[in-house]
Amino acid sequence: MSENKRKRHGDERNGRPSKRVATEQPSPEVVKVSLMPDEDEWAPVVASTPGLSFSSNLTLKPYTKLRNSKTSSTGKSPITNSEHLLHTSAHPRIDYTGREEDGGGTEGLLSHYIGVYDPRSGDLQLMRARKLVLRGSPRFSPTELEQEVKAANDRSARTALGLAFGTKKSKRALQNLAKNAISPSKKGLPAAEGSQPTLDPVAAAVISSMAIAAPSGASREDLQAAIDEAKPRPTPNPDAEAPMDVYPIDQLVGPGILRQLAVKDWQDAVEQKEEVLTKSRFVSHRIQRIVSEGDVRKIKTLKYLLLLIEWHNMLLPGPRGKGRKIPDRAQLREKLGKWGGELVDGVGRRFASDGPSGRMTLNSWHLDNLITHICALCITVEPENFMTDMYDIREDLKLDNKTVRKYFKEIGCRIVAPTEGERARWGLGKAEAASHQVAKLRLPLEFPKMRVMQQPKGRR
């Protein structure tokens, strides 16, 4: 019997050869790079969306305005002379805004480019682009405002009926609710007549998530840890074995800022035994000694401390007398022009936030955060075993004795009276030493604890 073998078609499947045919041309060995001139007002944009999930279906509308700074001048590119802004309200609940933000340090010297590469000709065209950061903010509709007002009216009516005709137990419960109510924010929704204002979206979200985050309740230690983490002060190092490790200079100042601070003028003046005059009592009384030690990092830290003190003292009263606000750019250049726009803008981005009118403002939290950083820097630059006389910094910041004690205690310092040796070293008499107190940073750190109200014991 003859066997007929079937031909194998493994070499071709569905009429296609099994081997891949090289259809692409090999890349050229030499790439020609050319830079396109950025003479056009509109340039490509490199945008980042930190913490956002931005839909690609939304269309952003661009806006431009001239920069009001020393760096802008005629003859430079439009990217240098103008600012770019992107905005859209197409989303039903969120407004998106993209701005040019500068993180400070050496990042302000970076330039971004977009390239188009042609693999056939080997040409690579580069074009300068703008770097924007896209952020979102919630938006309320008129219907939601009306619903919140109606709900507030209903709650007010029920509360009034309970206080008028309820039992003693129900009245006591309503009174406790009123005492423990969280104070509303001015940005919250409008309240109905005779009722308590409703919370803003942030506070409402925090309250609604409390039951989910801690269903079984938190211990006193957990509450204290959460309070310490949210306090307006520099973050201490819990694993520090020496006072110098509690608040490192790289954390208080930042390596990028240290590289921008120039101290050659101070060093030359001290070397020639000339007096260096500053706008700070604290800095002026210590500059000769610290510069003579030759530690450049500590000298730059002292100069950054002087910048924070001058920046704090030029702040203006905030709206309605609450908080502080940063002056406009013309006043900033007049008062702090010698520091350079990059350093001054970096302080504003670090210790302030955008206000409702577009000008950067500082509420009580931001202001406390600024002053506690100043206090930590005062302790860090002192050569005498991380202790400092609080009198000079109190006079620089125009604070009373009770307030400056509170700020130094918030960073873990212990407040004591100067000893006889310290009085003799500082040249203080007994009467003069009464207005001087010493803040000492010692391990273990002692921070102010939260107060727990104990309930009075009931009568039997």
Side-chain angles (χ1 to χ4, degrees), residues 98-139:
R99 291 188 176 90
E100 299 183 33
E101 298 183 0
D102 192 357
T106 56
E107 295 182 1
L109 305 176
L110 296 178
S111 298
H112 297 78
Y113 293 87
I114 291 180
V116 179
Y117 176 65
D118 187 356
R120 294 185 178 181
S121 62
D123 293 337
L124 176 61
Q125 292 183 344
L126 299 179
M127 186 175 184
R128 191 174 179 182
R130 297 178 184 269
K131 177 65 172 65
L132 272 69
V133 179
L134 194 66
R135 304 188 185 275
S137 58
R139 182 177 67 253

Short mmCIF file of all heavy atoms in Angstrom, two decimals, residues 98-139:
data_model
loop_
_atom_site.label_atom_id
_atom_site.label_comp_id
_atom_site.label_asym_id
_atom_site.label_seq_id
_atom_site.Cartn_x
_atom_site.Cartn_y
_atom_site.Cartn_z
N GLY A 98 -4.68 75.85 34.57
CA GLY A 98 -3.26 75.52 34.43
C GLY A 98 -2.42 76.78 34.48
O GLY A 98 -2.65 77.72 33.71
N ARG A 99 -1.46 76.82 35.40
CA ARG A 99 -0.57 77.97 35.56
C ARG A 99 0.87 77.53 35.51
O ARG A 99 1.19 76.36 35.76
CB ARG A 99 -0.84 78.68 36.90
CG ARG A 99 -2.17 79.40 37.00
CD ARG A 99 -2.22 80.22 38.29
NE ARG A 99 -3.43 81.01 38.41
CZ ARG A 99 -4.55 80.59 38.99
NH1 ARG A 99 -4.59 79.39 39.50
NH2 ARG A 99 -5.61 81.37 39.05
N GLU A 100 1.73 78.50 35.23
CA GLU A 100 3.17 78.25 35.27
C GLU A 100 3.64 78.39 36.71
O GLU A 100 3.60 79.48 37.27
CB GLU A 100 3.92 79.23 34.36
CG GLU A 100 3.52 79.13 32.89
CD GLU A 100 4.33 80.07 32.03
OE1 GLU A 100 5.50 80.31 32.35
OE2 GLU A 100 3.78 80.58 31.04
N GLU A 101 4.02 77.29 37.33
CA GLU A 101 4.48 77.28 38.71
C GLU A 101 5.95 76.94 38.74
O GLU A 101 6.44 76.14 37.94
CB GLU A 101 3.69 76.27 39.55
CG GLU A 101 2.20 76.58 39.63
CD GLU A 101 1.48 75.60 40.52
OE1 GLU A 101 2.15 74.70 41.06
OE2 GLU A 101 0.25 75.72 40.66
N ASP A 102 6.61 77.55 39.70
CA ASP A 102 8.05 77.34 39.87
C ASP A 102 8.28 76.80 41.26
O ASP A 102 7.93 77.43 42.26
CB ASP A 102 8.82 78.66 39.67
CG ASP A 102 10.30 78.42 39.56
OD1 ASP A 102 10.72 77.26 39.70
OD2 ASP A 102 11.04 79.39 39.31
N GLY A 103 8.85 75.59 41.37
CA GLY A 103 9.07 74.97 42.66
C GLY A 103 10.20 75.55 43.46
O GLY A 103 10.44 75.15 44.59
N GLY A 104 10.91 76.53 42.91
CA GLY A 104 12.03 77.11 43.63
C GLY A 104 13.32 76.33 43.41
O GLY A 104 13.35 75.25 42.84
N GLY A 105 14.40 76.87 43.88
CA GLY A 105 15.70 76.22 43.72
C GLY A 105 16.17 76.30 42.28
O GLY A 105 15.90 77.24 41.53
N THR A 106 16.88 75.26 41.86
CA THR A 106 17.42 75.23 40.49
C THR A 106 16.37 74.88 39.45
O THR A 106 16.65 74.96 38.26
CB THR A 106 18.55 74.20 40.42
OG1 THR A 106 18.05 72.92 40.86
CG2 THR A 106 19.70 74.62 41.32
N GLU A 107 15.15 74.48 39.86
CA GLU A 107 14.13 74.16 38.89
C GLU A 107 13.71 75.39 38.08
O GLU A 107 13.21 75.27 36.97
CB GLU A 107 12.91 73.56 39.59
CG GLU A 107 13.20 72.23 40.25
CD GLU A 107 11.95 71.65 40.90
OE1 GLU A 107 10.90 72.30 40.80
OE2 GLU A 107 12.04 70.56 41.49
N GLY A 108 13.87 76.58 38.65
CA GLY A 108 13.50 77.78 37.91
C GLY A 108 14.41 78.06 36.74
O GLY A 108 14.09 78.88 35.88
N LEU A 109 15.56 77.39 36.66
CA LEU A 109 16.50 77.60 35.56
C LEU A 109 16.34 76.57 34.44
O LEU A 109 17.06 76.62 33.46
CB LEU A 109 17.95 77.54 36.08
CG LEU A 109 18.28 78.50 37.23
CD1 LEU A 109 19.70 78.27 37.71
CD2 LEU A 109 18.08 79.94 36.80
N LEU A 110 15.40 75.63 34.59
CA LEU A 110 15.20 74.60 33.58
C LEU A 110 14.34 75.12 32.45
O LEU A 110 13.41 75.91 32.66
CB LEU A 110 14.54 73.36 34.21
CG LEU A 110 15.36 72.62 35.27
CD1 LEU A 110 14.55 71.45 35.82
CD2 LEU A 110 16.66 72.11 34.70
N SER A 111 14.61 74.67 31.24
CA SER A 111 13.80 74.95 30.06
C SER A 111 13.32 73.63 29.48
O SER A 111 14.05 72.64 29.47
CB SER A 111 14.59 75.74 29.01
OG SER A 111 15.01 76.99 29.53
N HIS A 112 12.09 73.61 28.97
CA HIS A 112 11.48 72.41 28.43
C HIS A 112 11.36 72.55 26.91
O HIS A 112 11.02 73.63 26.41
CB HIS A 112 10.11 72.17 29.05
CG HIS A 112 10.16 71.93 30.52
ND1 HIS A 112 10.31 72.97 31.44
CD2 HIS A 112 10.09 70.79 31.26
CE1 HIS A 112 10.33 72.47 32.65
NE2 HIS A 112 10.19 71.16 32.58
N TYR A 113 11.61 71.45 26.21
CA TYR A 113 11.57 71.43 24.76
C TYR A 113 10.77 70.23 24.28
O TYR A 113 10.71 69.18 24.95
CB TYR A 113 12.98 71.39 24.16
CG TYR A 113 13.79 72.64 24.39
CD1 TYR A 113 14.54 72.81 25.56
CD2 TYR A 113 13.78 73.67 23.46
CE1 TYR A 113 15.27 73.97 25.78
CE2 TYR A 113 14.51 74.83 23.67
CZ TYR A 113 15.24 74.97 24.83
OH TYR A 113 15.96 76.12 25.04
N ILE A 114 10.15 70.37 23.12
CA ILE A 114 9.44 69.30 22.44
C ILE A 114 10.12 69.06 21.10
O ILE A 114 10.41 70.01 20.37
CB ILE A 114 7.95 69.65 22.25
CG1 ILE A 114 7.24 69.68 23.60
CG2 ILE A 114 7.26 68.66 21.32
CD1 ILE A 114 5.79 70.02 23.51
N GLY A 115 10.38 67.78 20.79
CA GLY A 115 11.09 67.44 19.57
C GLY A 115 10.24 66.61 18.63
O GLY A 115 9.42 65.78 19.06
N VAL A 116 10.40 66.81 17.32
CA VAL A 116 9.72 66.04 16.26
C VAL A 116 10.82 65.40 15.42
O VAL A 116 11.65 66.10 14.83
CB VAL A 116 8.81 66.93 15.40
CG1 VAL A 116 8.17 66.10 14.31
CG2 VAL A 116 7.76 67.61 16.26
N TYR A 117 10.80 64.07 15.36
CA TYR A 117 11.86 63.32 14.69
C TYR A 117 11.31 62.66 13.43
O TYR A 117 10.26 62.00 13.46
CB TYR A 117 12.44 62.27 15.63
CG TYR A 117 13.48 61.38 14.99
CD1 TYR A 117 14.69 61.91 14.54
CD2 TYR A 117 13.26 60.01 14.82
CE1 TYR A 117 15.65 61.10 13.95
CE2 TYR A 117 14.20 59.20 14.24
CZ TYR A 117 15.40 59.75 13.80
OH TYR A 117 16.34 58.96 13.21
N ASP A 118 12.01 62.83 12.32
CA ASP A 118 11.67 62.19 11.05
C ASP A 118 12.66 61.05 10.82
O ASP A 118 13.86 61.29 10.55
CB ASP A 118 11.76 63.21 9.92
CG ASP A 118 11.24 62.63 8.60
OD1 ASP A 118 10.90 61.43 8.57
OD2 ASP A 118 11.17 63.39 7.60
N PRO A 119 12.22 59.78 10.92
CA PRO A 119 13.18 58.67 10.79
C PRO A 119 13.73 58.52 9.38
O PRO A 119 14.78 57.91 9.19
CB PRO A 119 12.36 57.45 11.22
CG PRO A 119 10.94 57.85 10.98
CD PRO A 119 10.86 59.32 11.20
N ARG A 120 13.04 59.02 8.37
CA ARG A 120 13.53 58.86 6.99
C ARG A 120 14.70 59.79 6.69
O ARG A 120 15.72 59.37 6.16
CB ARG A 120 12.38 59.12 6.02
CG ARG A 120 11.26 58.09 6.12
CD ARG A 120 10.21 58.34 5.06
NE ARG A 120 9.15 57.32 5.11
CZ ARG A 120 8.11 57.29 4.28
NH1 ARG A 120 7.99 58.23 3.34
NH2 ARG A 120 7.20 56.35 4.40
N SER A 121 14.50 61.05 7.04
CA SER A 121 15.57 62.02 6.75
C SER A 121 16.57 62.17 7.89
O SER A 121 17.65 62.71 7.69
CB SER A 121 14.95 63.38 6.44
OG SER A 121 14.22 63.86 7.56
N GLY A 122 16.18 61.71 9.10
CA GLY A 122 17.09 61.85 10.24
C GLY A 122 17.12 63.24 10.83
O GLY A 122 18.07 63.59 11.52
N ASP A 123 16.07 64.04 10.55
CA ASP A 123 16.01 65.40 11.08
C ASP A 123 15.25 65.41 12.41
O ASP A 123 14.18 64.79 12.52
CB ASP A 123 15.31 66.34 10.09
CG ASP A 123 16.14 66.52 8.82
OD1 ASP A 123 17.36 66.31 8.90
OD2 ASP A 123 15.55 66.85 7.77
N LEU A 124 15.77 66.11 13.41
CA LEU A 124 15.14 66.28 14.71
C LEU A 124 14.97 67.78 14.96
O LEU A 124 15.96 68.51 15.10
CB LEU A 124 15.96 65.65 15.83
CG LEU A 124 15.44 65.85 17.26
CD1 LEU A 124 14.06 65.23 17.42
CD2 LEU A 124 16.41 65.27 18.28
N GLN A 125 13.72 68.24 14.98
CA GLN A 125 13.42 69.65 15.19
C GLN A 125 12.97 69.85 16.63
O GLN A 125 12.06 69.18 17.10
CB GLN A 125 12.33 70.13 14.23
CG GLN A 125 12.76 70.16 12.78
CD GLN A 125 11.67 70.70 11.87
OE1 GLN A 125 10.51 70.77 12.26
NE2 GLN A 125 12.05 71.09 10.65
N LEU A 126 13.63 70.76 17.35
CA LEU A 126 13.32 71.07 18.74
C LEU A 126 12.65 72.43 18.81
O LEU A 126 13.04 73.37 18.11
CB LEU A 126 14.58 71.06 19.60
CG LEU A 126 15.34 69.75 19.68
CD1 LEU A 126 16.59 69.92 20.55
CD2 LEU A 126 14.46 68.65 20.24
N MET A 127 11.66 72.53 19.70
CA MET A 127 10.94 73.79 19.92
C MET A 127 10.72 73.97 21.41
O MET A 127 10.33 73.03 22.11
CB MET A 127 9.60 73.79 19.19
CG MET A 127 8.87 75.12 19.25
SD MET A 127 7.36 75.11 18.25
CE MET A 127 6.85 76.83 18.47
N ARG A 128 10.98 75.16 21.90
CA ARG A 128 10.82 75.43 23.33
C ARG A 128 9.34 75.39 23.71
O ARG A 128 8.48 75.87 22.96
CB ARG A 128 11.43 76.78 23.69
CG ARG A 128 11.53 77.01 25.19
CD ARG A 128 12.26 78.30 25.51
NE ARG A 128 12.33 78.53 26.93
CZ ARG A 128 12.88 79.60 27.49
NH1 ARG A 128 13.43 80.52 26.71
NH2 ARG A 128 12.92 79.75 28.81
N ALA A 129 9.04 74.83 24.88
CA ALA A 129 7.66 74.68 25.35
C ALA A 129 7.52 75.29 26.74
O ALA A 129 8.50 75.52 27.44
CB ALA A 129 7.27 73.20 25.39
N ARG A 130 6.29 75.54 27.10
CA ARG A 130 5.97 76.06 28.44
C ARG A 130 5.65 74.90 29.38
O ARG A 130 5.05 73.91 28.95
CB ARG A 130 4.77 77.01 28.39
CG ARG A 130 4.99 78.26 27.55
CD ARG A 130 3.73 79.11 27.53
NE ARG A 130 3.85 80.27 26.67
CZ ARG A 130 4.28 81.46 27.08
NH1 ARG A 130 4.63 81.62 28.34
NH2 ARG A 130 4.36 82.47 26.24
N LYS A 131 6.02 75.04 30.64
CA LYS A 131 5.72 74.03 31.66
C LYS A 131 4.61 74.55 32.55
O LYS A 131 4.76 75.57 33.23
CB LYS A 131 6.97 73.74 32.50
CG LYS A 131 6.73 72.75 33.64
CD LYS A 131 6.36 71.39 33.09
CE LYS A 131 6.33 70.36 34.22
NZ LYS A 131 5.29 70.62 35.22
N LEU A 132 3.45 73.88 32.53
CA LEU A 132 2.28 74.29 33.30
C LEU A 132 1.87 73.18 34.25
O LEU A 132 2.12 71.99 33.99
CB LEU A 132 1.09 74.65 32.39
CG LEU A 132 1.01 76.10 31.90
CD1 LEU A 132 2.13 76.39 30.91
CD2 LEU A 132 -0.33 76.37 31.23
N VAL A 133 1.22 73.55 35.33
CA VAL A 133 0.65 72.61 36.30
C VAL A 133 -0.85 72.82 36.32
O VAL A 133 -1.33 73.95 36.54
CB VAL A 133 1.24 72.82 37.71
CG1 VAL A 133 0.60 71.84 38.69
CG2 VAL A 133 2.74 72.63 37.69
N LEU A 134 -1.61 71.76 36.05
CA LEU A 134 -3.07 71.84 35.96
C LEU A 134 -3.68 71.40 37.28
O LEU A 134 -3.38 70.30 37.78
CB LEU A 134 -3.56 70.94 34.82
CG LEU A 134 -5.00 71.14 34.35
CD1 LEU A 134 -5.17 72.51 33.72
CD2 LEU A 134 -5.39 70.06 33.36
N ARG A 135 -4.53 72.25 37.86
CA ARG A 135 -5.18 71.96 39.13
C ARG A 135 -6.68 72.20 38.98
O ARG A 135 -7.12 72.95 38.11
CB ARG A 135 -4.62 72.81 40.26
CG ARG A 135 -3.10 72.67 40.44
CD ARG A 135 -2.60 73.38 41.67
NE ARG A 135 -1.15 73.34 41.76
CZ ARG A 135 -0.47 72.33 42.29
NH1 ARG A 135 -1.13 71.28 42.77
NH2 ARG A 135 0.85 72.36 42.35
N GLY A 136 -7.46 71.55 39.86
CA GLY A 136 -8.91 71.65 39.80
C GLY A 136 -9.49 72.17 41.09
O GLY A 136 -8.93 71.98 42.17
N SER A 137 -10.64 72.83 40.99
CA SER A 137 -11.38 73.35 42.15
C SER A 137 -12.86 73.04 41.96
O SER A 137 -13.39 73.19 40.85
CB SER A 137 -11.16 74.86 42.30
OG SER A 137 -11.58 75.54 41.13
N PRO A 138 -13.57 72.61 43.04
CA PRO A 138 -14.99 72.24 42.89
C PRO A 138 -15.86 73.46 42.64
O PRO A 138 -15.54 74.59 43.03
CB PRO A 138 -15.31 71.57 44.23
CG PRO A 138 -14.33 72.14 45.18
CD PRO A 138 -13.08 72.40 44.40
N ARG A 139 -17.00 73.21 42.00
CA ARG A 139 -17.94 74.28 41.68
C ARG A 139 -19.35 73.82 42.07
O ARG A 139 -19.74 72.70 41.78
CB ARG A 139 -17.88 74.60 40.18
CG ARG A 139 -18.79 75.74 39.77
CD ARG A 139 -18.64 76.07 38.28
NE ARG A 139 -19.09 75.00 37.42
CZ ARG A 139 -18.30 74.20 36.72
NH1 ARG A 139 -16.99 74.36 36.80
NH2 ARG A 139 -18.79 73.25 35.96
#
